[in-house]
Amino acid sequence: MTDILPFLKSIISVSGLSGYETPVANLIEEKWTPLVDEISRSRLGSIHGLKKGSVSGKAPRPSVLIAAHMDAIGLMVTRIVDGFIYVTNIGGVDSRVLPGTPVMVHATKSGESLYGVVAMPPANLLPEGQSSGAVALKYLMIDTGLTASEVSKRVHIGDRVSFNTEPVEMSGGCVSGHTLDNRASIAALTICLEELKSKSHAWDVWALASIQEEVTFAGAYTSLNQLRPTIAVALDVTFGKGTGANDYQAFPIGKGVTLGIGPSIHPFLHKRFKEVAEKVEIPVKSEAMPEHSSTDADAMQLTAEGIPTMVLSIPQRYMHTPVELVALKDIQRAGRLLAEFVASLEADFINQIAWD
């Protein structure tokens, strides 16, 4: 199987915050272009890659859409005081892990990317009640090392700030870095497309790198309305087991992927994925999603008249931090399972779908 690590490291080494995905989108489009028959971008910036199926006839071929969101959480400049930059969150940022984190300030006034570090005031200078425990985001600041006048010349209110931690190859076949949620899934979808180059599949396949999943589901809503696939799969990450995260809501790293089960997931698709996984000996676990899945699936299922939808997830530790961690073999498994699922779809599969 193709070594996906170089591509994965490249896409977690660039920014691409929700609403500002262009830096990573350019890398994904370049990688996907030779793997699909057609590639384009939506009006809002999501990437659509089409790999045509083999079903013949005048009627449109049935299609399966596989979505992995490419946007990332991050920060936005709210004010500048004496050269120090104060920020708010874009998406679900955990302020507990921010102090000491290296960041990149994308300065629009000068067009530069400025290195910075997240700092906090000394405890005795914090308001009463803030001197112990986690410090609220509004009290944290970014120090670029520049003088107040230099910062004001370069940085503007509303400028984006992204994490700047380097990808690290860990022991045990794991990789750590920022934005693995959800670029680990972009890598898995890329593996799927590579696998499908040598597999026959009756259905069309839409590969979707969606925008703004972390804030609005805008990519899922708009692209699904545009493309109108027959069925859809949301590919994302889920919580990996570790210290303090060891109950039914967390799953072991390196032991396989999860299959969602709940209101956002069509049970017939869950059943087919489980059957395919057993056939090709890919370990899977069912993941209970009793309300929302908190993935693009929540939007995709509700498109138009309703689209049968599935959620496939890769376990990940330290969600929404600069040091997220996944196992490379789980990424490979997710990609292969997707390809095997696509290859398993009979021309009349849609007519087999029923509620059990």
Side-chain angles (χ1 to χ4, degrees), residues 31-68:
K31 182 70 172 181
W32 284 5
T33 295
L35 302 177
V36 296
D37 297 307
E38 299 175 10
I39 197 160
S40 61
R41 296 199 196 188
S42 73
R43 290 181 180 178
L44 296 187
S46 294
I47 299 175
H48 301 163
L50 173 62
K51 192 170 187 309
K52 296 178 181 179
S54 61
V55 172
S56 58
K58 294 182 179 180
R61 275 185 295 270
S63 61
V64 52
L65 181 145
I66 305 170

Side-chain angles (χ1 to χ4, degrees), residues 8 11-12 16-18 68-74 91-92 163 175-186 213-214 235-239 294-296 313-326 331:
L8 177 61
I11 59 176
I12 63 172
L17 307 185
S18 296
H69 73 86
M70 61 178 164
D71 62 307
I73 61 169
F163 296 140
V175 61
S176 174
H178 68 76
T179 323
L180 284 164
D181 174 12
N182 189 33
R183 293 176 194 166
S185 295
I186 292 288
E213 187 270 355
E214 296 288 1
L235 177 60
D236 213 315
V237 294
T238 190
F239 296 101
S294 297
T295 73
D296 275 338
S313 300
I314 301 166
Q316 172 186 275
R317 290 193 191 123
Y318 321 126
M319 188 86 69
H320 283 201
T321 75
V323 289
E324 295 170 335
L325 186 147
V326 297
I331 294 175

Side-chain angles (χ1 to χ4, degrees), residues 184-226:
S185 295
I186 292 288
L189 181 47
T190 303
I191 290 170
C192 171
L193 293 174
E194 291 174 338
E195 289 270 301
L196 290 175
K197 295 287 283 186
S198 59
K199 287 183 180 295
S200 174
H201 54 96
W203 286 38
D204 283 351
V205 179
W206 284 106
L208 169 63
S210 62
I211 61 159
Q212 296 188 44
E213 187 270 355
E214 296 288 1
V215 293
T216 65
F217 294 143
Y221 277 122
T222 55
S223 290
L224 271 286
N225 270 292
Q226 178 182 343

Side-chain angles (χ1 to χ4, degrees), residues 149-187:
S149 61
E150 290 172 329
V151 172
S152 64
K153 290 177 184 177
R154 292 168 167 81
V155 182
H156 194 277
I157 304 303
D159 283 353
R160 280 81 62 197
V161 180
S162 57
F163 296 140
N164 195 35
T165 47
E166 293 291 329
V168 177
E169 294 179 51
M170 308 285 285
S171 301
C174 292
V175 61
S176 174
H178 68 76
T179 323
L180 284 164
D181 174 12
N182 189 33
R183 293 176 194 166
S185 295
I186 292 288

Side-chain angles (χ1 to χ4, degrees), residues 205-277:
V205 179
W206 284 106
L208 169 63
S210 62
I211 61 159
Q212 296 188 44
E213 187 270 355
E214 296 288 1
V215 293
T216 65
F217 294 143
Y221 277 122
T222 55
S223 290
L224 271 286
N225 270 292
Q226 178 182 343
L227 302 175
R228 297 294 180 94
T230 312
I231 61 175
V233 180
L235 177 60
D236 213 315
V237 294
T238 190
F239 296 101
K241 284 188 180 294
T243 301
N246 209 30
D247 64 4
Y248 77 95
Q249 294 176 308
F251 301 87
I253 299 288
K255 302 295 184 181
V257 296
T258 72
L259 305 178
I261 186 165
S264 294
I265 293 99
H266 198 294
F268 198 86
L269 297 185
H270 177 95
K271 179 181 177 183
R272 172 58 68 94
F273 262 95
K274 192 170 183 178
E275 291 171 348
V276 172

Side-chain angles (χ1 to χ4, degrees), residues 6-22:
F7 175 61
L8 177 61
K9 290 172 72 173
S10 75
I11 59 176
I12 63 172
S13 297
V14 298
S15 64
L17 307 185
S18 296
Y20 308 93
E21 294 89 353
T22 298

